[in-house]
Amino acid sequence: MSFGNPIKRLVYNYLPSEIHPYLKNLFERKRYIKHKIANLLLNRMEMLTARARLLSYPYYLVIDPSNICNLKCPLCPTWHDVKRRPKGKMTMKMFKEIIDEVGPFLFMLNLCNWGEPLLNPDFIEMIRYAKSYNIVVGFSTNLNYLPDAMAEKLVDSGVDLIVLSVDGVTQETYSAYRTGGNLETVMANIKKIQHLKAMKKETSGTETFSKETLGRDKLSKGTPDVAWQYIVNRHNENEVEIAKKLASQLGLILWLMPIRTAMDKELTMPLYERVNETKDWLPHNPAYNRYAYEILPETKTKQSFCKWLWNASVVNWDGSISPCCAVYDKKWDFGSYIYTGRFSFHRTWNSSSYILARRLIASFLKGSVKSQSHSHKCLYGNLYGKEAEDKSLICKHCTKYGFLES
């Protein structure tokens, strides 16, 4: 079985542009590449035909090594609401079991969601194990914690992309959102990583890339690639130009990301209420504002479709499985990973909650569930809407308020 250039072009077309620079290495290594491509094509077919029970696996996975964090960001529920999602760290045993099953089919793995991944003592080993399955691996970090020994292992781990959450170029503006963080420590850790990259004898030779809408600068030489994610808000928007110069000096990609509303409310609260609740954080400059300043109560998100239910999944530190990365409350999970043999993850991937959610969204997009009103009567427009409400399915909110924004 061989795949020619037309198949490769399909793969590039189906996968997000952010990982295109790393696909070349996946094809060159060849390990599991036939499994990945066959699964991707099957998955796309199942999504386009709106299948509820899937034969394919997700080709993008989020695994949260730990939902414990060392900062207290105002719009993040991780620190101020510890009851809805208990705290802990994933074991290496569970991680290996999940990757052994899903790894052969994955193109992308994000090792972060609700916490600081570097706080898991097995984190470097997790990266290495995932890379043995020929996966593009990345993660986000506030980088307030990076011992020297860990930094060396991290740079040599094979990780493809490190995303730094740093929102300011002075301690005052930085700590306005990254409460409890120390910018001097973060900058020292950035320089530590870049120095270790420069000291590596071999580099991957990955091509540089850009995404103009996010204002990314050129990549520095060497791997892993390091991106500075600068969440633009009212406190730091006046430092954007300084950040651009500093990113260039440090050899970082710069991603200018407009601030979002409270992360645990993106699925459960109407956009109008969320925006008004967050208005004091929104930038004055409309170029850096994700939302309109004047928004009507009935306004929905701009996202018109949910790919998560077909393409991706989230495994939390304790093995609980969420349908997307915005599900904070554990009661909304679609099941839990329990190792029972070869298809342990796939059983939850086709749980009754997943099947109902796929049917609900597919039916909604066909217009069976009326969305002009937020009333329960309209949500109950068909069998799936009523069943979703009865079972408290988190996806019911997306049919009322709009889908999770990318």
Side-chain angles (χ1 to χ4, degrees), residues 366-398:
K366 289 179 181 178
S368 298
V369 180
K370 304 300 181 181
S371 59
Q372 301 96 307
S373 168
H374 292 172
S375 68
H376 282 190
K377 182 178 179 180
C378 286
L379 180 63
Y380 293 165
N382 75 3
L383 172 64
Y384 303 129
K386 178 65 166 64
E387 188 177 355
E389 186 71 19
D390 291 344
K391 293 187 176 181
S392 296
L393 198 73
I394 183 66
C395 304
K396 67 184 179 181
H397 296 295
C398 295

Side-chain angles (χ1 to χ4, degrees), residues 16-187:
S17 59
E18 288 84 352
I19 77 158
H20 285 184
Y22 311 106
L23 292 179
K24 180 181 178 182
N25 288 335
L26 262 63
F27 280 105
E28 288 179 349
R29 294 187 190 110
K30 297 182 179 180
R31 186 170 173 80
Y32 297 110
I33 196 64
K34 293 180 180 180
H35 294 74
K36 297 177 190 296
I37 294 175
N39 179 75
L40 173 63
L41 297 178
L42 175 60
N43 183 275
R44 293 288 298 187
M45 182 194 72
E46 292 184 318
M47 183 184 71
L48 292 173
T49 56
R51 282 183 60 99
R53 184 182 296 275
L54 306 184
L55 296 173
S56 63
Y57 278 88
Y59 54 80
Y60 170 53
L61 192 65
V62 176
I63 295 182
D64 204 1
S66 172
N67 66 343
I68 299 171
C69 191
N70 46 358
L71 301 188
K72 296 182 177 180
C73 303
L75 300 181
C76 178
T78 292
W79 67 275
H80 62 72
D81 192 342
V82 298
K83 293 182 179 180
R84 287 192 291 158
R85 177 75 63 183
K87 304 302 176 187
K89 301 172 183 177
M90 180 175 283
T91 65
M92 192 64 204
K93 179 178 181 295
M94 178 181 288
F95 183 84
K96 285 183 175 181
E97 291 172 351
I98 295 168
I99 295 299
D100 284 344
E101 179 180 351
V102 188
F105 310 105
L106 290 179
F107 275 96
M108 303 170 286
L109 175 65
N110 181 12
L111 288 175
C112 180
N113 200 31
W114 292 113
E116 172 51 56
L118 293 176
L119 297 180
N120 187 315
D122 295 321
F123 185 63
I124 304 300
E125 187 179 353
M126 289 177 175
I127 294 173
R128 290 173 175 164
Y129 197 77
K131 289 302 297 181
S132 71
Y133 279 88
N134 200 19
I135 307 168
V136 177
V137 178
F139 71 96
S140 296
T141 172
N142 61 55
L143 210 64
N144 275 268
Y145 173 79
L146 187 66
D148 292 347
M150 176 180 280
E152 292 182 18
K153 293 177 182 178
L154 178 62
V155 171
D156 290 330
S157 66
V159 65
D160 298 285
L161 178 64
I162 302 174
V163 180
L164 310 176
S165 300
V166 186
D167 316 309
V169 297
T170 62
Q171 179 62 32
E172 181 180 3
T173 55
Y174 166 76
S175 60
Y177 189 78
R178 301 292 165 182
T179 307
N182 186 295
L183 185 60
E184 184 177 354
T185 297
V186 172
M187 289 298 166

Side-chain angles (χ1 to χ4, degrees), residues 67 77-78 80-86 264-265 268 328-333:
N67 66 343
T78 292
H80 62 72
D81 192 342
V82 298
K83 293 182 179 180
R84 287 192 291 158
R85 177 75 63 183
D264 59 326
K265 300 177 181 179
T268 60
Y328 180 72
D329 199 321
K330 188 177 177 64
K331 73 178 183 179
W332 300 117
D333 290 340

